[in-house]
Amino acid sequence: EADQAGDGAVKRHTDVCPICDSTAWKPDGHLSDSRLAILAKYAVCDDCGASWQMPPLYDFEAMYRSGEYRRLAGMDLDACISEQESRASVLLAYLKPRRAAIRRLLDFGSGVGSLMSAIRHHYGATVQGVELDRDHAGYANKHGLPTVWSLWILGGLVPFDLITSIHVFEHLTTPRQTMKELAALLAPNGNMLIEVPLDARMDFHPIAFTPQSLTRLATDAGLSVIECSEEIRLWAVKPE
């Protein structure tokens, strides 16, 4: 799952928080990448609690598009499929008591399409994925799950009544712009479901969220946050 909005370029000016634009931050230690002999430096925001690499270690968009991050992490396509299918089952169970109906789904960072498949099967929804990883997108399209590489080429499905983004935002270098772009694609009274890892400080993650910083990101984009768990899973609605 990847940095696949129109804002994909690596952010070079990292002296402000990428979540809330605060200039109040302090150093937050280092993380060594033994594979590439690179030392990541982190900052932590005093206002929202997010941590971020400064500067980013990689050209993340190129890394995700090529699948290089999977190779460095030692995950082949079969391992990714298994992981994503398991996660889709958990998320579908989360959605069932919260959405009686879903007509149009956008899954941002859709991987091999497991969540799209589960939601289409249960709700009969029209689904659309956005995924940078060529192998993942190719797998999804081969299995009848329409997937493109950018938000800019979605076509006529807009707006969506549900947008999901699962373990994606920790990979983005410009998350504020991406969140605003996604919110603009959401129908009034539509929902957004975002999940990020609780402990995301690692070489492939330029940003590590807290529940507070993810909530701030959503509210700044005009969404009303219904809940944001400590895990960290956010459920929000777009006001009419």
Side-chain angles (χ1 to χ4, degrees):
E1 292 116 332
D3 188 351
Q4 49 230 293
D7 63 338
V10 174
K11 186 175 182 180
R12 297 301 179 186
H13 301 290
T14 53
D15 53 348
V16 298
C17 175
I19 304 301
C20 67
D21 271 351
S22 173
T23 57
W25 57 268
K26 55 182 174 289
D28 194 29
H30 300 78
L31 181 73
S32 177
D33 183 342
S34 59
R35 291 165 300 216
L36 301 179
I38 294 176
L39 193 67
K41 297 179 181 179
Y42 279 84
V44 61
C45 180
D46 292 336
D47 290 330
C48 73
S51 299
W52 70 96
Q53 291 178 6
M54 53 182 307
L57 281 183
Y58 312 107
D59 180 344
F60 285 98
E61 182 174 1
M63 172 176 280
Y64 300 139
R65 187 183 298 280
S66 68
E68 180 65 16
Y69 81 101
R70 284 188 288 106
R71 289 186 282 274
L72 289 172
M75 292 189 69
D76 61 17
L77 185 60
D78 288 341
C80 292
I81 293 169
S82 177
E83 178 184 67
Q84 292 177 35
E85 286 180 347
S86 176
R87 188 178 292 158
S89 297
V90 172
L91 292 166
L92 184 61
Y94 178 86
L95 284 169
K96 285 178 180 179
R98 290 167 174 82
R99 288 283 315 197
I102 298 170
R103 293 179 300 126
R104 293 187 179 92
L105 164 74
L106 172 65
D107 189 11
F108 179 72
S110 50
V112 298
S114 300
L115 184 56
M116 288 194 291
S117 178
I119 289 175
R120 185 169 67 179
H121 177 75
H122 181 76
Y123 288 98
T126 299
V127 299
Q128 176 66 58
V130 178
E131 174 58 47
L132 262 187
D133 186 308
R134 294 187 185 101
D135 293 339
H136 284 186
Y139 181 92
N141 280 310
K142 182 179 178 180
H143 288 81
L145 299 162
T147 304
V148 296
W149 64 271
S150 171
L151 290 176
W152 299 109
I153 51 177
L154 283 178
L157 287 178
V158 177
F160 299 92
D161 53 349
L162 176 65
I163 296 177
T164 55
S165 187
I166 309 302
H167 287 235
V168 174
F169 268 77
E170 70 274 15
H171 297 282
L172 304 180
T173 53
T174 51
R176 292 187 76 198
Q177 182 176 341
T178 302
M179 180 66 86
K180 290 177 181 178
E181 290 173 356
L182 289 174
L185 299 174
L186 196 59
N189 287 323
N191 290 111
M192 190 173 295
L193 172 61
I194 297 178
E195 186 175 280
V196 294
L198 180 59
D199 184 11
R201 276 185 31 146
M202 60 181 291
D203 45 5
F204 302 141
H205 296 167
I207 296 178
F209 287 89
T210 62
Q212 294 74 25
S213 58
L214 188 58
T215 296
R216 173 71 179 270
L217 192 68
T219 55
D220 283 354
L223 302 178
S224 295
V225 175
I226 299 170
E227 60 186 16
C228 188
S229 67
E230 294 295 323
E231 278 72 28
I232 305 165
R233 183 183 292 155
L234 178 139
W235 180 247
V237 64
K238 184 174 182 176
E240 287 192 87

